[in-house]
Amino acid sequence: MRVGLIHSIIRKEEKLLLDEFRSRPGVEVATIDDREIVFNLHKNNYSFDVVIERCVNHSRAVHAIKVFEDFGIPTVNTYQVAKICGSKFLTTQAIIKAGIRTPRCYLAFTPESALAAMDELGYPCVIKPNTGSWGRLLSKINDRDAAEAILEHKEVLGSYHHSIFYIQEYMEKRGKDIRSFVVGANCICAIYRHSEHWITNTARGGRASNCPVTGELHDISVRAAQAVGGGVVAIDVFETPEGLSINEVNYTMEFRNSIDTTGVNIPAKVVDYVLKVGKR
Amino acid sequence: MAECPVCGAEFKLVDGAEKGEIITCNDCGSELEVTGKDSVQEAPQEEEDWGE
Ligand SMILES: Nc1ncnc2c1ncn2[C@@H]1O[C@H](COP(=O)(O)OP(=O)(O)O)[C@@H](O)[C@H]1O
Ligand SMILES: [Mg+2]
Ligand SMILES: [Zn+2]
């Protein structure tokens, strides 16, 4: 089987995946650096049975996946999944449509209407760039004065995609939230991410500890994955008095801190899944 | 030997270093990207759509 792995920089995750592919008999893995790609859109020059996307840039990832998919090459993840997960708005829409619990969320297009949305949600609330990761440029807005300041700064200094205001209710999570990993129809493991800071991303210093996969966590994680189109995804989950609540879904998941923590060989599970997709 | 483009330190890449892999210069702490068997360049700067 011929596997293509698209990447730009090689993170720990890509290295672990490459090692895992190379350890499998009958599997040939080729790396494709997205900085060197030139797609002739009229002609498929690739003979892969499956392509796994591991780009660090969201924009390159979605474009490349779309090209491979249109050439008839199966991809992990699919274009639909990448497109939805790359937008917090589309993800929230998919989660709401699937009837899954998620923090209250408003969308607005101007600073004035965004302020009205925040007043209605109440303070503190959270405003996020629609596309973004690693906890960057998230704002917890504690009162109306802060709201006005943030909105003015976004309007004056932000690039155009900061003019879509994605605003969420602030969830009290008592120092931790959950990151669960879904491969196909299974939630294979999960971690707690602990932090004194309200942003718990491990990329921002959040500490990982094992989180047992309860029935409820398994169920909501798989349903959230399916809501965005399935595949290999990592899900941010809040614990609330009413039950688990889905914050977001990531489609090029990082897992370096979660293998030893959970005792689950995540790259092996991902590779199993990719090879299964390639055999279809 | 590879040479750090930031501080000029010379070092040997570990066996199995992958093209595109990000390493840190032991001398100056700069993030470097492996570009070949014996070569590195400064790692690309994080962009707004970087992430997982
Ligand atoms: N509405 C919220 N209430 C409380 N904490 C939040 C909220 N939204 C995000 N956070 C914190 O910030 C982190 C990053 O937010 P997230 O929406 O996952 O964006 P990113 O794509 O940058 O990871 C979350 O893991 C969580 O710790
Ligand atoms: Mg997140
Ligand atoms: Zn150096």
Side-chain angles (χ1 to χ4, degrees), chain A residues 9-11 15 18 22 35-36 56-60 133-134 136-137 159 161-162 179 250-254, chain B residues 14-23 31 33-35 41-52:
Chain A
I9 55 167
I10 300 275
R11 291 167 284 188
K15 227 172 156 189
L18 285 170
R22 286 170 183 151
R35 292 164 292 186
E36 293 165 7
V56 73
N57 293 75
H58 164 65
S59 51
R60 294 181 195 177
S133 198
W134 298 338
R136 279 169 317 180
L137 293 173
S159 52
H161 39 266
H162 288 279
R179 158 60 63 98
N250 299 280
Y251 75 99
T252 311
M253 67 194 202
E254 292 174 339
Chain B
V14 294
D15 285 341
E18 197 78 47
K19 191 167 165 282
E21 193 177 334
I22 302 300
I23 59 171
E31 291 218 309
E33 179 187 351
V34 177
T35 52
Q41 66 184 18
E42 271 187 80
Q45 292 288 315
E46 189 170 311
E47 292 166 41
E48 198 170 338
D49 72 334
W50 275 30
E52 53 172 339

Side-chain angles (χ1 to χ4, degrees), chain A residues 88 103 126 128 132-136 138 168-173 177 179 193 198-201 236 238 247-248 250, chain B residues 52:
Chain A
K88 287 191 166 46
V126 174
K128 307 181 183 181
S133 198
W134 298 338
R136 279 169 317 180
L138 307 188
Q168 235 180 15
E169 106 182 81
Y170 177 72
M171 307 297 283
E172 197 46 69
K173 54 193 182 301
D177 64 0
R179 158 60 63 98
R193 301 183 299 184
W198 72 275
I199 295 176
T200 57
N201 297 57
D236 293 350
F238 296 132
N247 175 35
E248 66 148 357
N250 299 280
Chain B
E52 53 172 339

Side-chain angles (χ1 to χ4, degrees), chain A residues 49-112:
Chain A
D49 298 300
V50 58
V51 163
I52 172 171
E53 178 282 313
R54 292 293 317 176
C55 303
V56 73
N57 293 75
H58 164 65
S59 51
R60 294 181 195 177
V62 270
H63 284 82
I65 291 173
K66 175 74 173 144
V67 174
F68 285 113
E69 212 172 81
D70 286 351
F71 283 154
I73 299 170
T75 56
V76 176
N77 283 303
T78 63
Y79 176 64
Q80 184 208 350
V81 172
K83 193 179 68 176
I84 293 178
C85 295
S87 155
K88 287 191 166 46
F89 157 66
L90 290 177
T91 305
T92 299
Q93 287 291 84
I95 297 293
I96 291 172
K97 242 182 166 168
I100 300 167
R101 188 179 297 109
T102 189
R104 285 190 298 142
C105 186
Y106 284 67
L107 193 76
F109 302 131
T110 69
E112 294 73 29

